[in-house]
């Protein structure tokens, strides 16, 4: 027993008070620096009332943590690829995937007034352009040379090539990703061909936030990497214990969202076994289950996979297969979803994506880096697609429907993967990259990647006020915003 708690209890006992066992449990979790003051004030007040027992209600009233029965905890899964996955085969499958991508994004951009002037690529070959027209498609080529940029767009009818002379527009074109959907405003060139005068992305409209009616909190976590010897088990356990504490914020937590890489996996990279304390997937998931089981049962826990978790690695990923750990699936307060997924928390729409495509985008786009992941997240939202580039580092399955198009407009966009906790806003959407709970690994150090692990991000779903708890011992470890 803490000496501060012993002193506080002795003080109450010497004043003729009894301590109810339920009150004792709360006192064990109170900040030791505040214990003496709390006990003395409660003893003073109850002595006036001539009541000589300190019970749970006394402490909850004093600490302002009385259980709020009005707090909602309603979860609805709005989108989950787990039961929608119907991969095609070979060329037929990929044709279906890109056809679905084009059609979905064309429908999104059709809400813009310019879309009334859209022409297909094939119809331009024999058309005489007197006024500006629009064409849309997926970017198949982007080349810059001699102060001009050439772009080729492809739609179901064929392809279109245009030239950009404007310097500012060339900068915009330089950020386009291969296989990204874009609409171009075009005019005819003097000698032949077409000039691109503007580029229009699907992007997101400004809209009012959905808000929870009650001040329930959601915790955003990812990249625990349980099973790795670099997993911050002690710090994560401290955080889980805090959720059960009398802290006023902790008592309002009703949701925990884990955005992938729950475990470190097996055989993910060469010689990984040397960095594991749990050598099998089953061991790792059992350890994860034991840790998650300590979270109060009135908290709904939503778990999605990442590239280190078991199951298929190609996007979209189904939920972590039940065969590896049925215990997680059988818990009443745990909801297993695929990657990506969209959930509603008390009416607040949260888009969850592990973030594998950040690797491809950082490597191909000037000005973007792992140090500022929310800038990449903005890029994805403007493109209305979670992984536009095909054939790079991120594996994409030949689904008959492109399940990576961003159709639902979220209130919160939650991503992980890069181990850098960061917050930002984009068109009224709260961007949360939830960092990690794994200390810097030798590989990360070798490539100059500096994580800021051990930061728990919490959002008040009514006010969208953000809180965070930092469990890292590194004083330079800060939450970026």
């Amino acid at each position: 027993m803490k000496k501060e708690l012993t002193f506080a209890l002795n003080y109450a006992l010497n004043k003729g008070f009894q301590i109810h066992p339920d009150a004792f449990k709360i006192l064990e979790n109170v900040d030791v620096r505040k214990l003496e003051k709390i006990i003395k004030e409660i003893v003073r007040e109850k002595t006036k009332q001539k009541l000589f027992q300190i019970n749970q209600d006394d402490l909850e009233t004093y600490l302002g943590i009385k259980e709020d029965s009005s707090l909602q905890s309603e979860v609805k899964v709005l989108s989950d690829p787990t039961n929608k996955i119907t991969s095609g085969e070979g060329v037929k499958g990929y044709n279906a995937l890109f056809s679905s991508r084009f059609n979905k994004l064309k429908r999104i951009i059709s809400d813009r007034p310019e879309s009334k002037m859209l022409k297909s690529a094939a119809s331009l070959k024999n058309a005489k352009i007197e006024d500006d027209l629009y064409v849309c498609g997926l970017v198949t080529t982007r080349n810059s040379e001699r102060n001009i940029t050439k772009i080729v767009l492809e739609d179901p009818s064929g392809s279109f090539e245009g030239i950009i002379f404007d310097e500012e527009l060339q900068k915009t074109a330089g950020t386009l990703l291969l296989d990204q959907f874009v609409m171009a405003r075009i005019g005819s060139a003097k000698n032949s061909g077409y000039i691109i005068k503007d580029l229009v992305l699907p992007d997101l409209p400004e809209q009012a936030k959905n808000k929870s009616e009650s001040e329930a909190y959601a915790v955003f976590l990812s990249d625990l990497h349980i099973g790795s010897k670099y997993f911050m088990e002690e710090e994560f356990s401290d955080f889980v214990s805090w959720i059960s504490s009398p802290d006023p914020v902790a008592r309002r937590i009703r949701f925990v969202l884990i955005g992938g890489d729950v475990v470190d996996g097996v055989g993910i990279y060469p010689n990984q076994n040397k960095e594991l304390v749990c050598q099998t997937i089953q061991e790792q998931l059992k350890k994860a289950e034991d840790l998650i089981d300590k979270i109060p049962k009135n908290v709904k826990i939503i778990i999605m996979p990442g590239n280190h978790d078991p199951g298929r690695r190609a996007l979209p990923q189904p939920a972590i297969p039940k065969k590896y750990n049925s215990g997680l699936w059988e818990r009443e307060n745990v909801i297993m979803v695929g990657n990506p997924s969209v959930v509603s928390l008390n009416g607040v729409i949260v888009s969850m994506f592990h973030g594998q495509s950040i690797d491809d985008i950082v490597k191909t786009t000037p000005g973007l880096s792992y140090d500022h992941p929310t800038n990449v997240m903005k890029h994805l939202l403007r493109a209305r697609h979670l992984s536009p580039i095909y054939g790079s580092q991120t594996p994409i399955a030949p689904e008959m429907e492109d399940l990576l198009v961003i159709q639902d407009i979220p209130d919160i966009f939650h991503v992980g993967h890069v181990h850098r906790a960061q917050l930002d806003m984009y068109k009224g959407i709260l961007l949360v990259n939830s960092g990690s709970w794994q200390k810097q690994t030798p590989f990360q150090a070798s490539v100059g990647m500096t994580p800021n692990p051990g930061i728990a991000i919490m959002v008040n779903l009514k006010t969208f006020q953000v809180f965070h708890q930092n469990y890292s011992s590194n004083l330079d470890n800060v939450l970026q915003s």
Side-chain angles (χ1 to χ4, degrees):
M1 187 185 295
K2 302 168 188 172
K3 64 179 181 179
E4 293 87 354
L5 180 55
T6 303
F7 176 85
L9 293 176
N10 286 337
Y11 177 86
L13 293 170
N14 290 335
K15 294 288 184 178
F17 278 76
Q18 293 180 323
I19 311 290
H20 193 278
D22 291 338
F24 182 75
K25 289 177 184 177
I26 294 177
L27 287 169
E28 283 186 312
N29 290 307
V30 170
D31 186 337
V32 294
R33 294 167 295 183
K34 300 176 182 178
L35 271 170
E36 184 180 347
K37 180 185 175 185
I38 291 169
I39 289 294
K40 284 184 176 180
E41 291 193 9
I42 291 176
V43 165
R44 188 183 307 122
E45 187 60 34
K46 298 214 73 173
T47 300
K48 292 178 187 176
Q49 301 171 17
K50 296 184 179 180
L51 298 170
F52 295 94
Q53 185 186 59
I54 297 174
N55 56 39
Q56 180 179 347
D57 188 64
D58 296 324
L59 286 168
E60 288 184 340
T61 301
Y62 179 85
L63 294 168
I65 59 170
K66 200 165 183 67
E67 191 69 39
D68 187 348
S69 59
S70 69
L71 282 180
Q72 301 166 280
S73 59
E74 182 183 62
V75 177
K76 292 181 182 177
V77 178
L78 304 180
S79 175
D80 176 2
T82 302
N83 296 319
K84 296 180 182 177
I85 287 173
T86 52
S87 295
E89 294 183 8
V91 174
K92 181 181 178 182
Y94 284 107
N95 282 341
L97 175 72
F98 285 106
S99 177
S100 171
R101 177 183 300 188
F102 175 84
N103 290 328
K104 282 186 173 186
L105 289 166
K106 186 181 178 185
R107 279 196 294 273
I108 287 171
I109 216 160
S110 292
D111 289 337
R112 302 179 70 107
E114 304 98 311
S115 66
K116 294 176 182 176
M117 294 180 279
L118 266 175
K119 298 290 183 182
S120 68
S123 69
L124 293 175
K125 290 180 180 177
N126 300 315
K128 291 183 178 180
I129 300 180
E130 296 178 358
D131 299 316
D132 291 350
L133 295 174
Y134 287 82
V135 63
C136 66
L138 305 180
V139 178
T140 59
T141 306
R142 187 196 74 200
N143 288 323
S144 294
E145 54 184 39
R146 296 179 184 176
N147 298 322
I148 64 170
T149 298
K150 290 183 180 179
I151 290 179
V152 177
L153 302 181
E154 189 173 293
D155 70 10
S157 74
S159 62
F160 156 85
E161 182 181 282
I163 299 173
I164 301 173
F165 293 104
D166 181 83
E167 287 185 16
E168 287 302 311
L169 194 56
Q170 286 187 50
K171 291 177 185 176
T172 302
T175 66
L176 292 177
L177 307 171
L178 288 182
D179 306 314
Q180 177 177 344
F181 180 95
V182 68
M183 181 166 70
R185 177 165 64 90
I186 64 170
S188 58
K190 290 181 180 178
N191 43 10
S192 66
Y194 303 100
I195 299 172
I196 294 177
K197 298 181 177 181
D198 195 13
L199 294 168
V200 183
L201 303 181
D203 212 335
L204 293 169
E206 295 271 6
Q207 68 169 32
K209 279 192 184 77
N210 295 296
K211 295 183 179 181
S212 170
E213 291 181 4
S214 61
E215 292 198 26
Y217 283 73
V219 177
F220 294 87
L221 309 171
S222 67
D223 296 271
L224 309 184
H225 290 272
I226 295 169
S228 164
K229 70 179 183 181
Y230 299 102
F231 167 51
M232 299 165 65
E233 182 172 355
E234 184 179 338
E235 292 88 343
F236 186 73
S237 296
D238 287 346
F239 170 65
V240 169
S241 296
W242 175 81
I243 294 179
S244 303
S245 78
D247 183 276
V249 172
R251 296 285 289 226
R252 290 181 172 273
I253 290 171
R254 289 296 178 271
F255 310 98
V256 171
L257 289 79
I258 304 177
D261 284 0
V262 181
V263 297
D264 202 50
V266 175
I268 305 296
Y269 54 88
N271 299 315
Q272 184 187 13
N273 59 307
K274 296 176 182 177
E275 298 180 1
L276 295 177
V277 292
C278 299
Q279 294 291 331
T280 69
I281 285 292
Q282 286 77 8
E283 283 181 83
Q284 293 176 11
L285 282 170
K286 181 64 173 70
K287 192 175 187 69
E289 181 189 357
D290 292 343
L291 286 166
I292 287 167
D293 191 47
K294 294 174 183 174
I295 295 173
K297 298 301 179 283
N298 65 345
V299 176
K300 305 285 178 63
I301 303 165
I302 301 161
I303 300 175
M304 73 181 299
N307 53 300
H308 278 250
D309 295 310
R312 89 167 184 182
R313 295 185 66 188
L315 293 176
Q317 293 177 281
I320 295 172
K322 190 174 183 179
K323 66 180 180 180
Y324 294 107
N325 186 285
S326 59
L328 281 173
W329 283 86
E330 290 164 1
R331 278 173 156 63
E332 286 188 12
N333 64 325
V334 173
I335 301 166
M336 306 293 281
V337 297
N339 173 32
S341 284
V342 180
V343 297
S344 166
L345 311 179
N346 293 350
V348 175
I349 309 302
V350 181
S351 175
M352 298 176 67
F353 174 50
H354 180 62
Q356 293 95 314
S357 61
I358 292 177
D359 295 328
D360 302 332
I361 296 169
V362 165
K363 289 174 183 174
T364 59
T365 310
L368 296 180
S369 73
Y370 287 113
D371 290 337
H372 295 92
T374 54
N375 287 339
V376 186
M377 292 165 66
K378 291 176 189 177
H379 214 76
L380 297 176
L381 291 175
R382 283 192 285 266
R384 295 293 287 267
H385 199 279
L386 295 170
S387 190
I389 303 172
Y390 169 71
S392 190
Q393 188 170 327
T394 304
I396 299 173
E399 294 300 315
M400 302 304 287
E401 176 188 355
D402 191 338
L403 301 172
L404 303 177
V405 173
I406 301 172
Q407 294 183 278
D408 298 286
I409 300 172
D411 302 300
I412 301 174
F413 186 27
H414 175 211
V415 176
H417 188 59
V418 295
H419 296 212
R420 290 290 298 179
Q422 189 179 26
L423 301 169
D424 208 341
M425 294 291 296
Y426 180 69
K427 294 197 172 182
I429 298 166
L430 176 62
L431 309 183
V432 178
N433 194 295
S434 47
S436 75
W437 291 80
Q438 184 186 41
K439 293 176 182 176
Q440 188 183 46
T441 65
F443 170 76
Q444 290 169 347
S446 71
V447 297
M449 195 172 170
T450 307
N452 57 348
I455 297 175
I457 297 172
M458 291 150 280
V459 178
N460 181 326
L461 297 176
K462 183 175 183 178
T463 66
F464 278 72
Q465 185 177 6
V466 179
F467 296 81
H468 74 279
Q469 298 268 99
N470 191 342
Y471 288 85
S472 173
S473 56
N474 184 351
L475 296 177
D476 295 327
N477 201 54
V478 294
L479 175 64
Q480 294 177 302
S481 58

